[in-house]
């Protein structure tokens, strides 16, 4: 059965997309730790990030770096934190999280909520900065 992220990649489930290329997709997390919390996923479904071949993993990090730069231009923050947890969805992914302090990366924090319009506006702004 396809993972949630594969279904997003395939367009079966909507997402607030920020950037994509032939190999990767970046979209807003709908249960964000902070405003702009973004997920970067390979389009090919691979469960564990360290099962990704070296060339693809390197390319994924370079893609994530470009997304992080666009995110930092759009969402006021001190840094963009990076986390790889991989327990919640069986599809490798990188979390890019705008942060003011280390505690912003705590996955036990209360998740933020935004309206559909706010997600759409934010995704469009980050996507414009990605270009």
């Amino acid at each position: 059965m396809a993972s949630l992220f594969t279904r997003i990649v395939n367009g079966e489930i909507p997402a607030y997309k920020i950037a994509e290329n032939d190999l990767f997709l970046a979209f807003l997390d709908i249960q964000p730790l902070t405003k702009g919390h973004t997920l970067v996923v390979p389009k090919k479904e691979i469960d564990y990030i360290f099962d990704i071949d070296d060339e693809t993993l390197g390319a994924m990090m370079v893609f994530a770096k470009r997304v992080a730069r666009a995110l930092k231009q759009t969402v006021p923050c001190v840094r963009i934190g990076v986390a790889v947890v991989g327990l919640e969805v069986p599809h490798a992914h990188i979390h890019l999280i705008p942060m003011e302090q280390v505690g912003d990366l705590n996955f036990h924090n209360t998740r933020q909520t935004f309206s559909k319009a706010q997600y759409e506006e934010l995704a469009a702004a980050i996507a414009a900065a990605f270009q």
Side-chain angles (χ1 to χ4, degrees):
M1 180 176 195
S3 76
L4 174 68
F5 294 162
T6 295
R7 294 179 67 206
I8 289 171
V9 167
N10 292 340
E12 298 168 20
I13 297 175
Y16 301 104
K17 295 180 182 180
I18 292 169
E20 72 179 301
N21 63 19
D22 292 342
L23 298 175
F24 311 108
L25 174 64
F27 54 93
L28 293 176
D29 190 312
I30 60 168
Q31 295 181 326
L33 289 172
T34 64
K35 179 180 179 181
H37 181 165
T38 298
L39 300 171
V40 174
V41 304
K43 288 185 173 180
K44 179 180 178 185
E45 185 174 316
I46 298 172
D47 179 20
Y48 183 49
I49 196 160
F50 295 123
D51 286 338
I52 298 173
D53 67 87
D54 292 350
E55 184 177 338
T56 305
L57 182 59
M60 185 174 174
M61 289 303 296
V62 170
F63 181 81
K65 179 181 176 180
R66 289 184 60 214
V67 173
R69 284 185 173 156
L71 189 54
K72 179 103 170 56
Q73 288 177 354
T74 309
V75 178
C77 61
V78 173
R79 302 240 180 195
I80 302 298
V82 178
V84 176
V85 181
L87 296 175
E88 57 281 344
V89 177
H91 188 133
H93 56 286
I94 297 170
H95 295 264
L96 300 176
I97 304 167
M99 56 187 274
E100 295 295 324
Q101 58 189 357
V102 172
D104 292 338
L105 294 178
N106 185 340
F107 282 79
H108 292 290
N109 288 347
T110 301
R111 300 301 177 112
Q112 297 193 10
T113 56
F114 300 96
S115 69
K116 181 178 184 205
Q118 289 172 311
Y119 278 117
E120 289 171 346
E121 181 180 330
L122 181 58
I126 299 166
F130 183 80
Q131 304 302 329

